[in-house]
Every structure is written in structure tokens, then in C-alpha cells.
């Protein structure tokens, strides 16, 4: 069942680089990451790649395979034909460190700007009561393995580095939605989602949802409901008038 | 003099898995300037792989549960070799640690009355594991990662700097601990940035080791590349001791096919939720493998076992949920006797036990994993599973209350510490372990730093030596053929897998030690290509040093322990031996070799269990594990002895 596959792998660093051709053995049941590991062990010992669990659970081995953002550990070789040349490149929205490794610090900076869970005052540990049906909404978003493929594919930043300061990307807009839907969270992040995290930039093309290896419905279940909440607060004429009349500021 | 980036902290936590993050949270909350150093990106640690759940006797599903029952289950699971004080603290504190996570924002699955739901697991008397589907570890990591962010936000509000008191140094590897010349106490840690290859020095009086396990020394393993026994080896080189290294847990259910995913974990939750093991004849074989020590505690027929899922008061649990060591050995025997599955495992069947929707709801990531990686739909067909190296019970010898090792200022928590799980860990007890002892290590470090009257000093010569050691793989060998680190690693894995694996024999272990010695000489000739910037070949060459030390500790201790217990099975000594129960094997480093120091193993008597804990057990159960002399301390011993005499009399008559 083994064959020699054709691969083009991007090699280089922040100063530039190019695609290099390799011929690598491929065996039954293997995934792209197996091929990369064999390449390291036999032909390119210093080929840089991030990986950890090799089971689609940690979100480390993100890359672009034939131009599609994917996890290398979850891309089976059987989905390609034997004669096909497979191209593996680093994620495009982030600066390259070396070879397939990119600088993903943007994501950690954005994560720090989302105000954390705020529990109700006076509720002691052990006294939290929530219904399964209520926690399930946020639980869907907490399945996120932070592979940052959604961040990489989102057209707001994919080829627009200049949008990064004003836009936190699907992963962290979803984090805001997750906290907003947490049954016991007491903070209000609606204005902030729009003003500081760039929710308005999202025009729901669902590219993020398409590449999510966890199958999270980022657009339908997180971003659109979040937009509705913001709209409800800021643009509903009755709410607007009420706020004007009663000078109700940020609640 | 070596060029190094210098940092000054009160405590440096090495490892950003559950134990490391919990320790860091505690140290920061106690006012310490804290650094977390980890080999991967923040939030990728191996804890994310934990699936089943976190054991804590909250009693939400069965109100009969309490810390005493959890304590007893843990001691039984470890075949009474556990450090009883650790097992006691763990059982008592686990519920508080889980509830605390909810205040950080964790969202566990719920019971109908809104409490945290709990599931059944091997060796646990009652449903005890707090869980989130089958991705509990991810929830723990994310929750603590987000708690750390929230602490950084507090610091930002106060000082304008997120990293004023708590900073994560991601993709940074520590290669050596540094100690004070006069006191031997910890003075810092030396390492390199993976991205640039540049050196970094942390000057700190306290280090919390939370580096996890050693699975990457074995070929078939559920562990990621990070699990190279760094904490174990760094501690040894700094003068600390390891205990229980002969006990390595082979998880009974790893994937066996396709070859590239061999070893990847299939959660015990599959069995906890109703899945059963079958051989090629379709027989539920676990009923034939209930060992004497557990006789009477498990169902004897499939009918009783099936009734147990709905009526736990009147039925006994299925032997599919025996502790992991028992199940792994049973699978091994079935395969050996020719009743295995096509790819050398056995079948794990959940498809015939519940509806497809139910399976997808309860075990979403297992469904996903098999569908994507093996083309198997677990709602329609059984999985093929077999044992995989999963967890090391052995680790750094620590004081149970403070988590401090014999080296002042060196603390350890989680998998890289030893004692808590004895000879075998129960599923679900590792997530609770890392919360309980992560917090205690953070506390221990804080107390230690507060009590210091002077800061231990880092010697420049030690820094230079550490730098020289790290750069060694770039130098061509003095003589002989250069070695490829990847090949050497594969040879090590094959050796450990074949000769110090799930079933062991004296002559095979001796052979392993010979091969290890040979591999160590090849280690001297390892050469890496390229430069220092993000160079995986170089990183592996550095990690290999640690893997060799740990492998030697495992093999030497395994050779010395002439009995079978938990995660140590000797074909030539198949029985439990009560004399060995109270004996610990303590490993320390010898100073014969700077690159890979040798290992010395010594016996040490285990401290007897405190009387009130001892009396929590039935004397009859204890008699399966303890010597007569030890049993005499139990108040019911007289009646047991009388009964024994009466029975002996009957036999004679």
C-alpha cells in the first residue's frame, strides 16, 4: 500500500523563502503530519513545524494544504490521489517564524483584551446551579482548540494586516459570545464587541465556520446572535429612546 | 562568557499543563512574581488530551459518595503502595478544587437539578468524574488559561502592564536547574527559546516542576512529543530523588489501526458510559479476568453488569471497569491467545449499546477521532483497541503537604511527581491530582520564598556549563560515525517498548539495560544539521538526554522489584508480595557522566498508614495486601485471626 508521494513544502523565514520539492514515502492510513515527520527524520531534520497531540485536540499543527487552512494531523493522505503533488504552506495571515511555524502572538494579545468571566457576587463555590440546556450554548464555543484557522482564513485580516488592531477575529468574537451566553456571567460586553473588537467588520461570509476542525457554528451560533444583541442594544429605536429619556448609561 | 537573556522571579513554574497553571495561579494570588515556562504554545499542554473527567467525591449523582470512599478506591487502585497522605489530601480537597474552577468560568455538564454531573469510571465506586463530554482536559486547560489572563488583567488595571506579576514564556525549554553552591538550594533555571535558539536564564529561589510524563520513551504511546521526562531528569540532575519509576501505566484502550495513529487514546468514558470489551469470538472476556483481590466487588455475569448501569444498589459493576492495569493485562492475554481483532487489539463496542444520537452526544470527540482518522463509524461498528503507554506513576519524591522535593526550593506537582497513585492510577484521578497538588505546590513555594533570609546565588560557571551542554549536538563527534537524533530516538522507543513494556522479565530488562548503555555511547556522537533557530532536530537531541536518564530509572527499578503490582508486571514473579508493598525504590543520579548521568536505585521503607485511615478498611481486604505483622495493628485483626484458625481447623477435620 506504500507509494512515493510528491510534496512541495514552503521553507524559509521572515526574510523570505520558497517552495521546495520532496519525494516522501506514504503508507496506508497516514495523515499529512506523518509525512512531515518522515521528511524531518530522513531528509530535512531542521524542518520547523508545530505539533503536539496528533489527534486533532490541541490545535498546534495548523497550515495550508493546497491552499486550504487545515490541521495537518487531521488531513488524511487517502483524500489525495497518488500522482498528485501536495503543497504545504504556513498560515498566511501570520508572519512566518520559520518554515511552517508562524508567529501567532496576535491571538494571545486579543485574548487578553476580552474581559474575563465575572461571577455573580456572593455566590459561593459549590453553589453554582445551571441547566444543561443553558450551558450547552457556551459549551459549543468552548470546544475551540485555538488552532487559529478561523483567524487565518477570515478575509478581514487575511490580506489586510492593517485591520488587525481594530479586529479581534472570529475566535475572540466567539469568546465574547461565549461569555455573554454563560448563564451566570454578570458583565456586559456588547458595546465593547462592536467598538473595540470590530464585530461590525464581520459580514458573515462563514469562511471561519467552514474551516473549523471542531465543526463549531461560529457564524450562526456566535457571531450572528452577538450582532443581534449589539443591534438590540444600540439600534433598537425604543431602547434608544428609553436610554435618551432615562439617561441610562452602560448597564 | 555565555550570552544569555536574564530574568528575575520569585517562582518559576516549568510546564503549563494543569498542574503548572494551577501552581502559577496560586503563587501569583499569594503575591509572588511568577513565571510559567513551557515548551509549546500557551494552552496546548498535554492536559488537553484528558478526556474522561476529573474525580471528586461531590456526591452529586450518588449521595453515598464522600472522601473516605474516594480515598479507599484510590488506595485499592494503587494496590496500597500509594503515599497515603497524598491520597488523603487528594480525596479531601478534590471537590473544592473542582468547584473553584466554576468561579473561573468552567462549564461542566450538569445533572437535572443543575449541579455538576458525574460519570462512572474504572475503579471508582460511585459516579464521580466531573466532565464536559469527552473533552474535560481541554476545559480544564482553557479555564485555567483564562484565569491566568484574568489575573493579568487585574495586574494591568493596577500597573499598566499585563505581565507585571505573572508572565508566560511559551516555546521556551528549560535544560538545567541551577543550585546554590553552599546550600544546594535552587537558585534558578537555564534554557533556550525554541524560536530563536537563544539562551535564557531565570534567577529564582523556587521552581515548581510540572512537566508531565515520560511516554515518548516508548514506541506505542498516547503521549505527545513534549513528554520526554524533562522534569524527572532535571530534578535528578539537581540532586532530587524519584520514586516508583517501575510503575508505568499502559492504558488498555488505545487505537491500534491505522499504524500512524497507533497508541492514540480511546477514553475510558466509552466503558464508563456502557461500552463493553469483546474478543474475536464476540465474548465479553473481562468476566474471566477479575483478580482475587477484587473478587466479590464486580459482577459475575453480563446480565448483572447490565443491570448495574440503572440499579447500582442491588448489582455489582461490570469488570470492564476494573482498574486500568487489570484491563490492559486482560487484553494482552486475549491477543496472545489468538482471540484478538484483525489489527492485533480487541473490540470495544458501544454501537450495539446505545443509539447513534446518544453516542454522538456523550462521546463527540471519540466519534470524530475514529471517523476522521480510521474511517470507522463508532455508532455502527466496534472500535479496535489495545494497550498504549499512557502515564507514569513514578516521579519526583515530594513532601505530601508542601510538594517540596529533597532539594530546597524544588517543588513538583502532577504527573512528574511520585507517590500519589501508588502502583496504578485510577482514571479521573490525574485531573484532580493536578488541581490539588498544583495548588499545594504553589502554596509550598510561596511559604518557602517567604521564609528565606537570602536569595540563593547562580554561579556563572554553572550557566556556562549548561550552555556548553546544550550546544554539544552541533559539534562533530571526536571519533566514529555521526548519529541522527531521530534514529537514536526510534531505537530507544523500540527498546523500551519491547523489553520494559507491559509484561516484563529479568533477562529482557537486563538486555534493555545493555542496549541503553550502548545507545548512551551513540548519544555522544549525535550531530544536528542547520542552525539554532526553531530547529526540531536540535530540540530532540536535547530532550534525548532526559529520555535516557528516565528510561534507565524505569528499567533499573523494574529489574529490582521482584513482584507484580499495578503498572509493573513481572512474568517471572507474577504475584503480589506483601513485603514489597511497604518498600519504595528510590532513584538518584550518579555523577559518573556529565551528558547522561547514571542511575542508582535504593530501597526505602514506606511510612505506615495513619491509624484512623488504616481503620477505614476492612481487615479482610487488607489481608490481601499486608503482612501479618502489619495487620496486627488493626482492631479487627483478632477476629480475622480467629476466623482463619477456625477455617484451618475445619479443613483439618
Amino acid at each position: 500500500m506504500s507509494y512515493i508521494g510528491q510534496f512541495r513544502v514552503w521553507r524559509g523565514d521572515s526574510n523570505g523563502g520558497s517552495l521546495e520539492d520532496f519525494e516522501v514515502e506514504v503508507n496506508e492510513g497516514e495523515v499529512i503530519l506523518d509525512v512531515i515527520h518522515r521528511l524531518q527524520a530522513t531528509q530535512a531534520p531542521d524542518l520547523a513545524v508545530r505539533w503536539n497531540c496528533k489527534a486533532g485536540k490541541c490545535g498546534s499543527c495548523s497550515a495550508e494544504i493546497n491552499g486550504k487552512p487545515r490541521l495537518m494531523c487531521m488531513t488524511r493522505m487517502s483524500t489525495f490521489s497518488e500522482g498528485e503533488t501536495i503543497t504545504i504552506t504556513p498560515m498566511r495571515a501570520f508572519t512566518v517564524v520559520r518554515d511552517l511555524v508562524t508567529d501567532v502572538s496576535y491571538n494571545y494579545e486579543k485574548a487578553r483584551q476580552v474581559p474575563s468571566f465575572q461571577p455573580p457576587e456572593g455566590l459561593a463555590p459549590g453553589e453554582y446551579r445551571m441547566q444543561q440546556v443553558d450551558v450547552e450554548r457556551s459549551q459549543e464555543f468552548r470546544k475551540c482548540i485555538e488552532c487559529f484557522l478561523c483567524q487565518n482564513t477570515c478575509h478581514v485580516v487575511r490580506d489586510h494586516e492593517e485591520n488587525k488592531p481594530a479586529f479581534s477575529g472570529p475566535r475572540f468574537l466567539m469568546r465574547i459570545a461565549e461569555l455573554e451566553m454563560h448563564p451566570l456571567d454578570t458583565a456586559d460586553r456588547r458595546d465593547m464587541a462592536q467598538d473595540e473588537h470590530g464585530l461590525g467588520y464581520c459580514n458573515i461570509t462563514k469562511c471561519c465556520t467552514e474551516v473549523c476542525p471542531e465543526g463549531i457554528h461560529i457564524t450562526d451560533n456566535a457571531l450572528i446572535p452577538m450582532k443581534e444583541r449589539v443591534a438590540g442594544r444600540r439600534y433598537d429605536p425604543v431602547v434608544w429612546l428609553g436610554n435618551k429619556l432615562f439617561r441610562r448609561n452602560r448597564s | 562568557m555565555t550570552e544569555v537573556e536574564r530574568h528575575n522571579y520569585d517562582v518559576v513554574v516549568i510546564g503549563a499543563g494543569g498542574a503548572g497553571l494551577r501552581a502559577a495561579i496560586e503563587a501569583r494570588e499569594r503575591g509572588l512574581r511568577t513565571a510559567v515556562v513551557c515548551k509549546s504554545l500557551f494552552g496546548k499542554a498535554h492536559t488537553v488530551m484528558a478526556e474522561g473527567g476529573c474525580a471528586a467525591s461531590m456526591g452529586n449523582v450518588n449521595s453515598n459518595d464522600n472522601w473516605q470512599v474516594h480515598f479507599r478506591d484510590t488506595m485499592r487502585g494503587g494496590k496500597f503502595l500509594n503515599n497515603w497522605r497524598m491520597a488523603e489530601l487528594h480525596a479531601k480537597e478534590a471537590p473544592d478544587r473542582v468547584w473553584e474552577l466554576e468561579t473561573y468560568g468552567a462549564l461542566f455538564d450538569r445533572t437535572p437539578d443543575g449541579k455538576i454531573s458525574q460519570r462512572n469510571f474504572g475503579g471508582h465506586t460511585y459516579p464521580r468524574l466531573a466532565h464536559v463530554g469527552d473533552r474535560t482536559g481541554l476545559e480544564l486547560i482553557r479555564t485555567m488559561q483564562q484565569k491566568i489572563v484574568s489575573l493579568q488583567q487585574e495586574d494591568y488595571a493596577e500597573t499598566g502592564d499585563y505581565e507585571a506579576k505573572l508572565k508566560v514564556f511559551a516555546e521556551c525549554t528549560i535544560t538545567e536547574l541551577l543550585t546554590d553552591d553552599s546550600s544546594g538550594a535552587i537558585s534558578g533555571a537555564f534554557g533556550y527559546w525554541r524560536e530563536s535558539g537563544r539562551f535564557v536564564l531565570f534567577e529564582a529561589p523556587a521552581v515548581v516542576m510540572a512537566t508531565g510524563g515520560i511516554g515518548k520513551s516508548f514506541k506505542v504511546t498516547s503521549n505527545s512529543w513534549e513528554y520526554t521526562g524533562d522534569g524527572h531528569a532535571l530534578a535528578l540532575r539537581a540532586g532530587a530523588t524519584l520514586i516508583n519509576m517501575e510503575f508505568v501505566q499502559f492504558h488498555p484502550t488505545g487505537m491500534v489501526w491505522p499504524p500512524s495513529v497507533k497508541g492514540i487514546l480511546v477514553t475510558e468514558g466509552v466503558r464508563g458510559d456502557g461500552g463493553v470489551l469483546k474478543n474475536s469470538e464476540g465474548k465479553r472476556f473481562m468476566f474471566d479476568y477479575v483478580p482475587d483481590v477484587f473478587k466479590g466487588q464486580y459482577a459475575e455475569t453480563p446480565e448483572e453488569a447490565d443491570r448495574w448501569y440503572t440499579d447500582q444498589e442491588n448489582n455489582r459493576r461490570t469488570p470492564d471497569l476494573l482498574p486500568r492495569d487489570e484491563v490492559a493485562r486482560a487484553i494482552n492475554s486475549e491477543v496472545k491467545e489468538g482471540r484478538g481483532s484483525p489489527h492485533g487489539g480487541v473490540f470495544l463496542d458501544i454501537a450495539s449499546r446505545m443509539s447513534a444520537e446518544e453516542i454522538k452526544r456523550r462521546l463527540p470527540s471519540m466519534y470524530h477521532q475514529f471517523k476522521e482518522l480510521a474511517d470507522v463509524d463508532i455508532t455502527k461498528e466496534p472500535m479496535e483497541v489495545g494497550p498504549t503507554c499512557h502515564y507514569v506513576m513514578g516521579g519526583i519524591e515530594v513532601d505530601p503537604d508542601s510538594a517540596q522535593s529533597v532539594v530546597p526550593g524544588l517543588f513538583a506537582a502532577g504527573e512528574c511527581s511520585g507517590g500519589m497513585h501508588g502502583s496504578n492510577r485510577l482514571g479521573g484521578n490525574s485531573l484532580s491530582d493536578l488541581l490539588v497538588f498544583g495548588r499545594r505546590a504553589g502554596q509550598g513555594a510561596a511559604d518557602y520564598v517567604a521564609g528565606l533570609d537570602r536569595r540563593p546565588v547562580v554561579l556563572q560557571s554553572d550557566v556556562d556549563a549548561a550552555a556548553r551542554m546544550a550546544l554539544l549536538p552541533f559539534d562533530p563527534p571526536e571519533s566514529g560515525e555521526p548519529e541522527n537524533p531521530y534514529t537514536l530516538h526510534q531505537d530507544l522507543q523500540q527498546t523500551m517498548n519491547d523489553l520494559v513494556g507491559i509484561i516484563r522479565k529479568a533477562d529482557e530488562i537486563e538486555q534493555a539495560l545493555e542496549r541503553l548503555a550502548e545507545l548512551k555511547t551513540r548519544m555522544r556522537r549525535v550531530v544536528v544539521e542547520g542552525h539554532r533557530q526553531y530547529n526540531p532536530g536540535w530540540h530532540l537531541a536535547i530532550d534525548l538526554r532526559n529520555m535516557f536518564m528516565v528510561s534507565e530509572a524505569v528499567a533499573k527499578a523494574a529489574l529490582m522489584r521482584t513482584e507484580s503490582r499495578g503498572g509493573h508486571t513481572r512474568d517471572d514473579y507474577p504475584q503480589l508480595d506483601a513485603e514489597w508493598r511497604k518498600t519504595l525504590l528510590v532513584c538518584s543520579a550518579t555523577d559518573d557522566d556529565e551528558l547522561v548521568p547514571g542511575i542508582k536505585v535504593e530501597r526505602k521503607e514506606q511510612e505506615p498508614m495513619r491509624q484512623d485511615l488504616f481503620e477505614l478498611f476492612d481487615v479482610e481486604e487488607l489481608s490481601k495486601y499486608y503482612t501479618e505483622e502489619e495487620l496486627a495493628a488493626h482492631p479487627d485483626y483478632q477476629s480475622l485471626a480467629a476466623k482463619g484458625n477456625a477455617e484451618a481447623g475445619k479443613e483439618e477435620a
Side-chain angles (χ1 to χ4, degrees), chain B residues 273-592:
Chain B
D273 285 1
V276 294
L277 292 162
K278 292 176 178 171
N279 62 19
S280 60
E281 294 160 4
K283 185 182 171 191
R284 288 176 62 177
F285 58 84
M286 281 309 300
F287 292 93
D288 301 339
Y289 289 94
V290 182
D292 285 342
V293 289
F294 291 116
K295 278 267 151 60
Q297 297 176 24
Y298 286 80
E300 275 158 40
T301 62
E303 292 71 31
E304 180 184 357
D306 285 348
R307 286 196 303 270
W308 170 80
Y309 287 102
T310 47
D311 176 9
Q312 300 186 352
E313 301 303 316
N314 299 306
N315 297 287
R316 290 166 297 178
R317 62 195 5 248
T318 174
D320 291 289
L321 287 173
L322 273 160
R324 288 174 175 173
D325 52 333
E326 308 292 353
V327 183
R329 272 191 296 271
I331 294 175
N332 203 61
S333 304
E334 285 296 305
V335 175
K336 228 177 196 170
E337 280 161 33
R339 293 188 294 271
S341 66
H343 299 101
V346 294
F347 295 107
L348 174 58
D349 172 29
I350 185 94
S352 73
R353 312 272 302 168
M354 60 179 70
S355 72
E357 286 66 42
E358 190 72 0
I359 294 170
K360 284 189 211 169
R361 191 181 68 76
R362 292 205 202 191
L363 303 161
S365 87
M366 283 306 105
Y367 172 74
H368 195 58
Q369 179 175 317
F370 272 88
K371 192 94 190 122
E372 297 278 326
L373 295 175
D375 239 341
V376 168
D377 182 348
I378 66 167
T379 67
K380 295 199 178 73
E381 26 180 349
M383 297 160 248
E384 274 187 76
V385 294
T388 176
C389 179
H390 182 57
Y391 189 89
V392 62
M393 271 65 73
I396 302 165
E397 187 179 21
V398 290
D399 170 68
D401 290 76
S402 70
Q404 185 163 221
S405 72
V406 299
V407 176
L410 179 61
F411 299 79
E415 190 172 351
C416 73
S417 68
M420 157 70 206
H421 305 289
S423 69
N424 174 56
R425 174 175 69 78
L426 292 184
N429 270 1
S430 65
L431 291 184
S432 42
D433 168 12
L434 55 82
L435 293 172
V436 168
F437 293 103
R439 172 175 162 277
R440 282 190 164 268
Q443 250 174 16
D447 292 344
Y448 171 79
V449 172
L452 283 177
D453 47 18
R454 77 169 184 103
R455 291 228 163 188
V457 181
V458 171
L459 285 181
Q460 185 58 40
S461 57
D462 287 348
V463 175
D464 292 338
R468 188 165 46 79
M469 233 0 104
L471 292 175
L472 218 54
F474 285 107
D475 298 335
E478 284 170 16
S479 62
E481 280 292 295
E483 281 284 342
N484 174 337
Y486 296 96
T487 314
L488 198 57
H489 185 208
Q490 279 163 11
D491 291 351
L492 171 70
Q493 290 181 316
Q494 196 72 53
T495 302
M496 292 304 284
N497 225 74
D498 294 350
L499 302 173
V500 203
I502 182 165
I503 310 286
R504 302 159 175 177
K505 285 190 193 104
D507 57 335
E508 289 186 351
I509 305 171
E510 280 160 5
Q511 221 182 314
L513 283 165
E514 278 167 36
R515 278 207 214 164
L516 284 174
E518 202 183 292
L519 293 173
K520 261 167 77 171
T521 61
R522 283 169 59 191
M523 175 73 195
R524 272 166 221 301
R525 304 201 300 270
V526 161
V527 176
V528 297
E529 286 178 32
H531 51 69
R532 280 162 69 178
Q533 195 193 358
Y534 217 110
N535 185 340
W538 179 42
H539 302 163
L540 176 61
I542 287 176
D543 292 346
L544 270 174
R545 276 183 88 193
N546 301 335
M547 285 189 260
F548 276 115
M549 286 185 75
V550 168
S551 298
E552 190 174 328
V554 172
K556 281 202 167 147
L559 183 60
M560 214 149 142
R561 183 173 286 271
T562 49
E563 66 152 355
S564 291
R565 181 184 299 273
H568 171 66
T569 307
R570 284 284 296 262
D571 220 16
D572 42 357
Y573 296 93
Q575 302 300 325
L576 275 177
D577 179 343
E579 285 298 330
W580 269 114
R581 191 212 61 79
K582 50 185 175 151
T583 308
L584 297 176
L585 294 177
V586 183
C587 303
S588 52
T590 57
D591 47 15
D592 54 342

Side-chain angles (χ1 to χ4, degrees), chain B residues 17-58:
Chain B
L21 297 188
R22 190 62 191 80
I25 290 167
E26 197 64 23
R28 155 63 184 75
E29 286 193 325
R30 297 215 161 197
L32 264 60
R33 279 196 75 236
T34 306
V36 181
V37 188
C38 53
K39 294 207 282 188
S40 282
L41 291 172
F42 188 30
K44 305 296 180 195
H46 204 57
T47 307
V48 302
M49 297 287 285
E51 292 158 356
C54 176
S57 59
M58 296 180 286

Side-chain angles (χ1 to χ4, degrees), chain A residues 51 57 76 98 146, chain B residues 44 139 225 369 372 533:
Chain A
W51 70 286
K57 292 197 176 71
R76 301 187 69 193
R98 187 176 177 195
E146 298 201 331
Chain B
K44 305 296 180 195
E139 183 70 14
W225 70 267
Q369 179 175 317
E372 297 278 326
Q533 195 193 358

Side-chain angles (χ1 to χ4, degrees), chain A residues 29 34 45 47 50-54 57-58 76 97-98 108 112 114 116 130 132 139 142 145-146, chain B residues 40 42 44 49 107 109-110 114 139 143 146 150 153 171 224-226 260 369 372 486 533 536:
Chain A
D34 290 309
L47 173 67
R50 275 201 190 100
W51 70 286
N52 271 56
C53 74
K54 207 174 170 289
K57 292 197 176 71
C58 75
R76 301 187 69 193
V97 172
R98 187 176 177 195
Y108 290 94
R112 260 202 311 228
V114 179
S116 300
M130 296 175 261
Q132 182 61 33
Q139 276 184 335
R142 291 181 71 84
I145 57 174
E146 298 201 331
Chain B
S40 282
F42 188 30
K44 305 296 180 195
M49 297 287 285
L107 284 173
D109 286 348
R110 316 307 294 185
E139 183 70 14
T143 299
Q146 287 161 354
S150 100
Q153 288 171 346
E171 300 201 301
S224 84
W225 70 267
E226 293 194 275
S260 66
Q369 179 175 317
E372 297 278 326
Y486 296 96
Q533 195 193 358

